[in-house]
Amino acid sequence: MTAIAFSQSVLDTLKDKVVVLTGGAQGVGAATVQLAYDAGAHVYFGDWAADKGKEVEAAVRASSSNGTATFLQVDVREYASQLALFDAAFEKHGRVDVAISCAAVAEPPGYFEPEALSLEAIRTEPQELKSRLDINLTSVLLFSRMALAYIKASPPTDFSRSIVLVSSIAGITEAPGLFAYSTAKHGVIGLMRALRPVAPLRYGVRVNAICPWATDTQLLAGVKGRWVKENLPLNQPADVAAMILQCAADKTLNGKSVFVAGGKGYDTEEGYDKTQPQWMGEQLAEEWNRGQRVLGLGDGWTD
Ligand SMILES: NC(=O)c1ccc[n+]([C@@H]2O[C@H](COP(=O)([O-])OP(=O)(O)OC[C@H]3O[C@@H](n4cnc5c(N)ncnc54)[C@H](O)[C@@H]3O)[C@@H](O)[C@H]2O)c1
């Protein structure tokens, strides 16, 4: 695995840049808001938790910086709500440089337990399950599309602009018990992979995904005790924030899935690609690569 090194000088290039982020009211998102603001960026962050979002806004503004931090109440399930976040940034600064999709919710309990799987129980549509997929996946697709449009409409700059999507280790590995969560997070990796050959060429936008392992936020609360007892690697929110902003600002990074474990980041895509002939077989890998060249940038899929 290739280690992704954190560089303060790369982070400093975020000075005066316009950053849009969802899920900033606590945890990893709040840490990312703070770090980007400290670097001098203008950060527009949304979250549906209005009180916590306002508290983060006030706490961040209390430290001195050339940047700004602006909170808006946003429910990522609502198209207009995400759009309003981009609008606020674009109207004030005339551009968007970095877009980070971080908002997510945990697995809703019980939907795959035996009692929820009777022929009678499944007659009721599981709205909560669908709603969580909306938050963790559909909203990320729509956010990414908006980000491309706002960045495309922004005046040219020397800064290498980018989208960062927060997935999870559950987006690249087996994750027992995380049925809806893992579905969504694998989807986020699929979205990153679909965008990475196209977005830099067509829109000058790099796209990367972050795949945290256990991180000390409320999302981990249910298993944290057992985790710590076993002395397993644990990230702090600021560790993950550092990797998010490294991907946001480092112009050499595109198409990575950065596994963050014990405070350090590692790209998993390079190894996945490099070992393709081993897990696909040499002949199929060669044919698959020829197929990819035939498909090019993917024009022609639509009906
Ligand atoms: N904590 C971990 O161990 C861990 C591991 C892997 C991936 N992640 C990912 O990291 C990201 C940040 O998670 P975290 O650990 O900081 O969790 P968190 O719960 O502390 O933060 C998630 C934020 O998203 C917001 N949010 C949820 N639904 C929303 C909606 N509909 N509209 C707007 N905002 C909404 C929440 O209010 C919260 O502020 C998530 O994408 C999560 O899946 C976390």
Side-chain angles (χ1 to χ4, degrees), residues 25 45 49-59 61 70-72:
F45 68 105
D51 291 348
K52 285 184 183 166
K54 282 279 163 202
E55 277 169 31
V56 169
E57 184 187 62
R61 285 179 178 176
T70 307
F71 171 73
L72 267 82

Side-chain angles (χ1 to χ4, degrees), residues 22-30 46-49 52 74-78 101-106 135-136 166-170 181 185 210-220 234-235 237 240:
T22 64
Q26 61 184 13
V28 169
D47 203 292
W48 61 359
K52 285 184 183 166
V74 167
D75 183 340
V76 297
R77 290 172 302 183
E78 308 291 335
S101 173
C102 187
V105 284
I135 294 171
N136 290 355
V166 182
S167 175
S168 168
I169 187 66
Y181 185 84
K185 294 300 188 178
I210 305 295
C211 301
W213 201 16
T215 306
D216 195 5
T217 71
Q218 64 85 33
L219 217 59
L220 194 73
L234 185 65
N235 300 307
V240 182

Side-chain angles (χ1 to χ4, degrees), residues 164-168 208-212 240 243-244 247 256 258 260:
V164 184
L165 307 176
V166 182
S167 175
S168 168
N208 292 286
I210 305 295
C211 301
V240 182
M243 282 299 128
I244 290 173
C247 286
K256 309 292 183 200
V258 181
V260 189

